[in-house]
Amino acid sequence: MAIKQLPRIMLAAPASGSGKTAVTCGLLRLLWRKGERPRAFKCGPDYIDPIFHTHVLDTPCRNIDTFFAQESLARRLFEKSASQGTISVIEGVMGYYDGLGGTSLSASSWEAASVLETPVILVINARGMSRSVAALLRGFLSYQENSRIRGLILNQVSEMTASMMKAIIEKETDVKVVGYVPVCRDACMESRHLGLRLPERAEELRRQIDALADVLEKTLDLEAILDLARQAGPLPETEGKQTDSEIAASKTKSRLRIGIARDEAFCFYYEDGLDLYRQMGAELVPFSPLRDRELPEGISGLLLGGGYPETAAAALADNASMRHAVRRAVELGMPCRAECGGFLYLHRDLQGEDGNDYPMAGVIPARAYRSGKQSRFGYITLEATEDGKYLHRGEIIRGHEFHHWDSEQCGASCTARKPVGQRVWPCMIQKGNLLAGFPHIYDPAAPFLAHRFVKLCRGYGKKGEHSA
């Protein structure tokens, strides 16, 4: 059996910095202008591109991550979102074949394209190249028996150069050149375009993307791209949903409200994870630790996601009312999950981006500080070293870390291990109804963790403690 046709394409590249993010954004805008309902996806654990696509392009975006999600789960989550649009555009991560630790194909864009059986358009920065592009492309085509590379976009070249190279490439390979991108001064996007202050730059970024879409309308063969997307075959039917039992066990008719920190300082959440909470019957109630004075009324749990609290440390400190409300709630036993930026917010003190220390919620009696480097980066597995309300000794879940701040008290409720190499370290604080630490966790791949959190929230709500 097979599910319905889902036109889809992946934009990948030989390396980071090739321009695939800018081309993806411009293409999404162009498709929207032409009457399509595009859905965006980002390979890997990155939060920034999905936020960018959702809030600047107004295009829903989800993560596709084959380290977190096994094949059947990745397909199921993709189908759920893709079926709501007319075409899906998947942006690759790093180099096309770059996976775990730089030594494996696992978790690479190629693996994601294989799992989702998706045609790939390679974006090559061809500036300063001519026939060498054909040699580079042939290497990518032959590296794996089924590379899935069906199209090519030449970036940073003139119309004349693109025309010459198109003739050579299509003569020497089976890959169709579906367009080129010239140097666009008015549509120049930073490599980390979202930066740290999205709301301040949203209009400027929209203008840049509109300018890029204007260019791409003239230089891309949109019909050829749509044709490649439509060549994607039907995905195999996935077997029973592994989260059904957790969802059923968590649902009740009683009302459940969970507060979720959402503003410029706290914005890193996997939307598929939030969907899981909603399926379990939770209403996610947004609040701003920057602006709101009190927690939302009637909540029975707290989600404090990642983000950039260090860039807003002074404003967070000035909002003493919210800091005290969060501390009081956690001390009274309100279930709380805090990741990375949310974990920093729970500290006694946080060193801001300006180098000064600022008081935070004070739940964790320690200082969080700038480490001056990427403290820990990449995929990890987490093994619980003790029994708690969230994780039981010996249970293993997968996570991801990326941060330049560190803590005097990272916790020792879990052991983190890199999937490639021998590096291990203690992390996570699991104490009472609190689970906090630097690792980001992808809940759809560990639904039992979401189920336990929801169960704790329901128990807390039934006691009426949230009104204390």
Side-chain angles (χ1 to χ4, degrees):
M1 297 181 65
I3 62 175
K4 64 181 181 180
Q5 293 291 130
L6 296 171
R8 57 197 183 276
I9 203 79
M10 176 185 284
L11 295 183
S16 296
S18 298
K20 64 178 179 293
T21 294
V23 175
T24 299
C25 292
L27 178 59
L28 285 167
R29 178 70 89 201
L30 183 57
L31 288 166
W32 176 80
R33 286 182 183 176
K34 296 298 182 180
E36 299 287 342
R37 289 183 290 111
R39 290 296 180 268
F41 296 85
K42 173 65 180 180
C43 289
D46 182 37
Y47 289 99
I48 294 178
D49 285 332
I51 293 173
F52 181 78
H53 293 152
T54 301
H55 294 284
V56 177
L57 289 170
D58 298 321
T59 300
C61 184
R62 304 297 174 104
N63 292 77
I64 296 295
D65 193 305
T66 52
F67 175 77
F68 286 148
Q70 294 184 344
E71 187 171 308
S72 61
L73 177 59
R75 284 176 168 169
R76 187 163 63 248
L77 293 173
F78 172 78
E79 187 274 338
K80 178 183 175 182
S81 182
S83 63
Q84 298 170 12
T86 58
I87 181 173
S88 295
V89 179
I90 306 166
E91 181 186 344
V93 60
M94 300 187 297
Y96 183 48
Y97 291 116
D98 297 335
L100 292 179
T103 62
S104 169
L105 287 169
S106 179
S108 67
S109 300
W110 173 81
E111 184 177 71
S114 299
V115 166
L116 298 179
E117 301 184 17
T118 298
V120 175
I121 296 176
L122 203 63
V123 178
I124 293 182
N125 186 338
R127 188 172 186 175
M129 301 173 70
S130 56
R131 292 190 69 97
S132 294
V133 173
L136 177 64
L137 178 59
R138 289 178 69 172
F140 270 78
L141 291 170
S142 63
Y143 187 71
Q144 289 298 308
E145 185 175 350
N146 188 352
S147 72
R148 299 193 176 275
I149 298 170
R150 302 290 183 267
L152 179 66
I153 293 175
L154 299 165
N155 193 19
Q156 301 288 290
V157 299
S158 66
E159 181 179 5
M160 182 177 69
T161 300
S163 178
M164 175 192 70
M165 295 169 70
K166 174 180 171 70
I168 294 171
I169 291 166
E170 292 186 348
K171 179 181 178 181
E172 297 189 3
T173 72
D174 293 329
V175 173
K176 182 176 180 60
V177 178
V178 297
Y180 72 99
V181 184
V183 176
C184 304
R185 301 299 181 191
D186 293 336
C188 180
M189 295 170 57
E190 301 168 9
S191 60
R192 299 309 287 172
H193 43 253
L194 185 66
L196 302 181
R197 296 166 182 86
L198 173 61
E200 297 175 12
R201 296 205 55 210
E203 289 306 316
E204 176 191 350
L205 292 168
R206 288 190 182 102
R207 180 193 61 77
Q208 291 177 341
I209 293 168
D210 281 332
L212 180 57
D214 290 340
V215 173
L216 297 185
E217 188 169 10
K218 301 173 184 176
T219 64
L220 294 187
D221 185 343
L222 192 59
E223 282 306 313
I225 293 173
L226 289 169
D227 184 58
L228 284 176
R230 294 177 187 126
Q231 290 177 26
L235 289 171
E237 186 86 32
T238 55
E239 296 182 0
K241 298 182 179 181
Q242 69 179 48
T243 59
D244 277 353
S245 59
E246 285 86 1
I247 292 173
S250 298
K251 271 192 170 181
T252 69
K253 293 182 180 180
S254 60
R255 185 185 186 207
L256 175 63
R257 288 163 56 87
I258 295 175
I260 179 170
R262 299 207 89 154
D263 55 25
E264 301 94 307
F266 304 96
C267 50
F268 290 175
Y269 297 96
Y270 293 121
E271 284 300 318
D272 284 320
L274 300 185
D275 280 350
L276 182 59
Y277 284 119
R278 296 182 186 106
Q279 292 169 30
M280 290 180 173
E283 176 190 356
L284 301 180
V285 185
F287 71 96
S288 171
L290 280 169
R291 299 180 186 87
D292 295 332
R293 309 305 296 177
E294 297 292 339
L295 291 170
E297 292 185 5
I299 61 171
S300 300
L302 280 175
L303 288 172
L304 303 176
Y308 304 111
E310 66 276 10
T311 69
L316 290 169
D318 284 345
N319 192 355
S321 176
M322 176 58 74
R323 291 191 289 109
H324 296 158
V326 169
R327 177 172 182 172
R328 175 175 170 80
V330 176
E331 289 179 344
L332 285 173
M334 181 181 287
C336 176
R337 288 187 58 184
E339 296 184 352
C340 202
F343 174 55
L344 294 178
Y345 181 64
L346 292 182
H347 279 67
R348 180 193 65 231
D349 301 294
L350 170 62
Q351 183 182 30
E353 193 177 42
D354 60 7
N356 297 317
D357 281 8
Y358 295 92
M360 292 290 119
V363 173
I364 297 168
R367 176 176 179 261
Y369 57 91
R370 188 172 197 160
S371 63
K373 60 181 179 179
Q374 280 186 349
S375 298
R376 290 172 291 281
F377 168 70
Y379 291 116
I380 53 174
T381 59
L382 296 166
E383 181 176 356
T385 58
E386 59 189 19
D387 288 324
K389 295 182 178 180
Y390 292 91
L391 294 168
H392 304 156
R393 184 189 297 271
E395 287 185 327
I396 297 175
I397 57 176
R398 293 185 171 190
H400 179 267
E401 287 196 33
F402 185 98
H403 50 93
H404 292 80
W405 261 248
D406 215 326
S407 169
E408 295 173 341
Q409 189 173 326
C410 290
S413 295
C414 292
T415 297
R417 290 185 175 86
K418 297 290 289 182
V420 176
Q422 304 298 317
R423 189 181 177 194
V424 300
W425 63 90
C427 66
M428 303 295 287
I429 294 173
Q430 181 177 217
K431 182 178 180 181
N433 284 350
L434 173 67
L435 181 66
F438 279 113
H440 299 283
I441 298 167
Y442 188 70
D443 282 325
F448 65 87
L449 185 59
H451 165 61
R452 289 170 187 168
F453 176 60
V454 168
K455 185 177 180 181
L456 288 172
C457 293
R458 290 201 183 280
Y460 179 85
K462 288 178 181 177
K463 295 176 182 178
E465 291 175 332
H466 59 264
S467 61

